């Protein structure tokens, strides 16, 4: 734990980036609960909530490629600030939604909010490698995982209490304020966070990879060409997506487990609360424990990703066989330790090996691929139950096999060797 506190204490740039994440993630859960409650209050249609989640999900896939280009073309710190300020204004407009006929506005504002989130996420992933030393990248990503997990538990709980006690409008105002605070913290970052346009290389030559006469989408294609020429980096960029093929479906299946098999409380909210709390614990502690066991060396990080896939497969298999809620909870813990490990260590490896000039586009590709595979996995979970007559346990069993195949493929790549060398920042970065 001392290494995490030391990073926050000694690296003021990362500390500001981290505080921005803490505050904005906390506000995100306020927004989710408030939006879902608003939809439920305005209409009784079951598809209305589905449309809300669709409006939150699809923009991440469609806008992320362009976001990656912008992250490599312009100052990433400024992109983060603009995205936060624009999201604050967007969330405040949610207050205009008051009647059932205003639902279209809610969906439209949600699409805009998450299009801006698509702009924010690749830029932030790229900025971490700008403000953190290579030897601290695993520490930074593990701390990010703990932060996300903690905010999952606290943000959802406090957001629900605030919406219930003070109203939905208050939750939206707090969410908007969280984006403003995040922008203020990020604005204090002083280390260079621009892409490679006009930056000098080690030998003093001026790079100009992203020429003004190129369209943004052609720049993104250049990023894909880079990945095609670096198959091992491409594999690392697809790791999260491969894992989400399994865990995306389980996120849907656990709702069925909560409602039909192990219900606690009205609408099984008690069971879901327990499972979400365990998920936050697993995704937060998993990377910390495996890092303590295996260390930070790139070879060991690649080994840890394989272990993460095996734990993911074992956890989902346990879910499929759960005879009781405690068993389901323990299996969820194992599953999320595995998914958290895959998430954190793959991000750290990418930040270590991807050159700064294409880092934004590589993380954009990673995020877009993750979104696509998670969509497919989520669709499969419902399709298999509704159209293939598979019960929830059978679907979970199939997903454990998917995770096991992903782990097998990763171990095959891991043992082949010839991985790219770690990229060291130049004196001009």
């Amino acid at each position: 734990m001392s290494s995490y506190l030391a990073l926050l204490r000694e690296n003021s740039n990362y500390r500001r980036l981290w505080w921005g994440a803490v505050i904005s993630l906390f506000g995100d859960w306020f927004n989710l609960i408030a939006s879902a409650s608003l939809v439920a209050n305005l209409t009784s249609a079951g598809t209305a909530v589905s449309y809300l989640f669709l409006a939150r999900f699809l923009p991440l896939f469609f806008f992320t490629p362009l976001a990656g280009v912008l992250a490599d073309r312009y100052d990433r710190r400024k992109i983060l600030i603009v995205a936060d300020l624009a999201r604050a204004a967007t969330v405040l407009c949610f207050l205009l939604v008051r009647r059932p006929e205003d639902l279209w506005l809610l969906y439209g504002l949600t699409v805009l909010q998450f299009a801006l989130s698509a702009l924010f996420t690749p830029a932030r992933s790229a900025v971490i490698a700008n403000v953190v030393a290579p030897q601290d990248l695993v520490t930074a990503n593990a701390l990010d995982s703990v932060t996300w997990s903690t905010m999952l538990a606290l943000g959802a709980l406090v957001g629900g209490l605030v919406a219930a006690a003070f109203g939905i409008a208050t939750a939206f105002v707090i969410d908007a304020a969280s984006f403003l605070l995040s922008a203020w913290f990020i604005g204090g970052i002083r280390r260079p966070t621009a892409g490679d346009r006009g930056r000098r290389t080690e030998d003093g030559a001026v790079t100009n990879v992203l020429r003004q006469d190129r369209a943004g989408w052609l720049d993104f294609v250049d990023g894909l060409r880079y990945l095609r020429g670096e198959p091992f980096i491409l594999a690392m960029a697809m790791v999260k997506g491969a894992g989400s093929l399994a865990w995306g479906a389980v996120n849907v299946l656990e709702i069925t487990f909560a409602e039909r098999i192990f219900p606690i409380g009205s609408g099984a909210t008690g069971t879901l609360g327990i499972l979400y709390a365990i998920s936050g614990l697993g995704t937060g502690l998993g990377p910390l424990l495996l890092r303590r066991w295996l260390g930070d060396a790139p070879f060991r990080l690649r080994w840890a990703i394989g272990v993460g896939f095996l734990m993911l497969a074992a956890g989902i298999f346990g879910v499929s066989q759960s005879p009781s809620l405690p068993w389901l909870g323990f299996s969820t813990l194992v599953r999320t330790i595995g998914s958290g490990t895959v998430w954190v260590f793959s991000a750290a490896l990418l930040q270590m090996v991807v050159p700064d000039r294409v880092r934004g586009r590589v993380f954009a590709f990673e995020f877009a691929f993750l979104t696509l595979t998670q969509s497919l996995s989520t669709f499969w979970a419902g399709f298999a139950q509704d159209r293939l007559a598979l019960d929830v346990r059978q679907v979970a069993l199939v997903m454990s096999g998917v995770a096991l195949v992903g782990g097998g493929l990763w171990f095959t790549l891991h043992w082949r060797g010839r991985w790219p060398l770690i990229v060291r920042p130049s004196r001009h970065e």
Side-chain angles (χ1 to χ4, degrees):
M1 185 58 69
S2 59
S3 61
Y4 305 101
L5 296 177
L7 177 61
L8 290 173
R9 183 175 60 252
E10 298 169 5
N11 189 329
S12 62
N13 288 306
Y14 176 75
R15 183 171 64 248
R16 285 183 168 273
L17 193 65
W18 180 77
W19 270 117
V22 169
I23 294 168
S24 62
L25 284 171
F26 191 74
D28 282 346
W29 288 102
F30 275 66
N31 180 278
L32 174 59
I33 292 174
S35 297
S37 298
L38 182 58
V39 170
N41 290 341
L42 294 180
T43 178
S44 59
T47 55
V49 176
S50 298
Y51 293 150
L52 173 65
F53 281 92
L54 194 64
R56 295 170 69 94
F57 205 59
L58 288 181
L60 299 177
F61 175 74
F62 287 108
F63 288 95
T64 295
L66 178 59
V69 172
L70 295 176
D72 286 335
R73 184 180 284 232
Y74 301 110
D75 189 320
R76 293 160 184 159
R77 181 179 65 92
K78 293 179 180 178
I79 290 174
L80 297 179
I81 294 171
V82 169
D84 270 340
L85 294 177
R87 286 189 291 181
T90 302
V91 170
L92 283 177
C93 291
F94 279 50
L95 298 174
L96 301 175
V97 180
R98 299 176 180 177
R99 300 181 300 275
E101 52 268 29
D102 296 333
L103 276 177
W104 68 269
L105 179 59
L106 175 66
Y107 297 139
L109 290 171
T110 300
V111 168
L112 176 59
Q113 179 191 351
F114 280 83
L116 293 167
S117 294
L119 180 69
F120 185 94
T121 301
R124 186 183 185 278
S125 295
V127 162
I128 290 177
N130 290 128
V131 302
V132 174
Q135 64 270 20
D136 292 329
L137 283 174
V138 178
T139 302
N141 281 279
L143 188 55
D144 271 9
S145 177
V146 173
T147 302
W148 183 90
S149 303
T150 303
M151 292 304 102
L152 166 62
L154 290 180
L157 174 62
V158 178
L161 294 176
V162 168
F166 302 103
I168 293 173
T170 302
F172 285 136
V173 171
I174 292 175
D175 186 29
S178 74
F179 288 125
L180 294 176
L181 279 174
S182 174
W184 181 80
F185 276 110
I186 293 172
I189 295 175
R190 290 294 175 258
R191 190 165 180 173
T193 57
D196 272 358
R197 179 193 296 278
R199 185 173 290 176
R200 294 185 178 274
T201 61
E202 290 283 357
D203 60 2
V206 177
T207 62
N208 194 20
V209 177
L210 301 177
R211 297 194 300 270
Q212 288 285 356
D213 58 342
R214 285 191 175 185
W217 284 102
L218 291 181
D219 285 338
F220 182 70
V221 171
D222 281 346
L224 295 180
R225 291 196 186 104
Y226 166 80
L227 287 171
R228 186 179 62 183
E230 299 286 348
F232 290 101
I233 293 180
L234 175 61
M236 280 189 282
M238 298 176 71
V239 164
K240 288 180 187 175
S244 73
L245 280 174
W247 72 58
V250 178
N251 291 334
V252 175
L253 298 177
E254 65 186 4
I255 297 176
T256 305
F257 272 103
E259 291 180 343
R260 302 179 186 176
I261 302 178
F262 305 116
I264 297 177
S266 175
T269 54
T271 304
L272 285 176
I274 292 172
L275 294 179
Y276 286 157
I278 293 173
S279 296
L281 181 66
T283 55
L285 291 181
L288 304 186
L289 296 175
L290 265 74
R291 181 197 178 195
R292 186 177 183 85
W293 175 34
L294 295 172
D296 292 350
F299 176 84
R300 292 182 177 273
L301 295 182
R302 297 196 299 268
W303 176 262
I305 290 173
V307 173
F309 269 108
L310 294 181
M311 295 188 71
L312 177 62
I316 298 175
F317 179 80
V319 167
S320 72
Q321 305 299 311
S322 296
S324 63
L325 183 57
W327 183 296
L328 178 63
F330 177 75
S331 299
T332 298
L333 179 64
V334 174
R335 173 180 68 83
T336 52
I337 287 176
S339 62
T341 299
V342 170
W343 187 285
V344 170
F345 291 166
S346 64
L349 279 172
L350 277 179
Q351 289 162 354
M352 289 178 180
V353 303
V354 176
D356 190 67
R357 71 178 185 275
V358 292
R359 192 176 291 140
R361 282 166 289 175
V362 169
F363 275 105
F365 170 82
E366 180 202 42
F367 194 53
F369 185 69
L370 167 68
T371 305
L372 176 62
T373 57
Q374 196 158 15
S375 300
L376 294 173
S377 183
T378 300
F379 172 78
W380 157 256
F383 179 84
Q385 294 180 81
D386 294 341
R387 301 294 181 87
L388 302 181
L390 298 179
D391 64 33
V392 63
R393 297 184 186 277
Q394 292 171 323
V395 178
L397 185 61
V398 172
M399 292 299 99
S400 69
V402 171
L404 192 61
V405 170
L409 291 174
W410 178 257
F411 274 120
T412 300
L413 285 171
H414 173 62
W415 285 321
R416 283 185 59 183
R418 299 181 62 83
W419 287 85
L421 298 175
I422 301 302
V423 174
R424 300 295 180 185
S426 74
R427 62 184 180 274
H428 302 282
E429 292 184 0

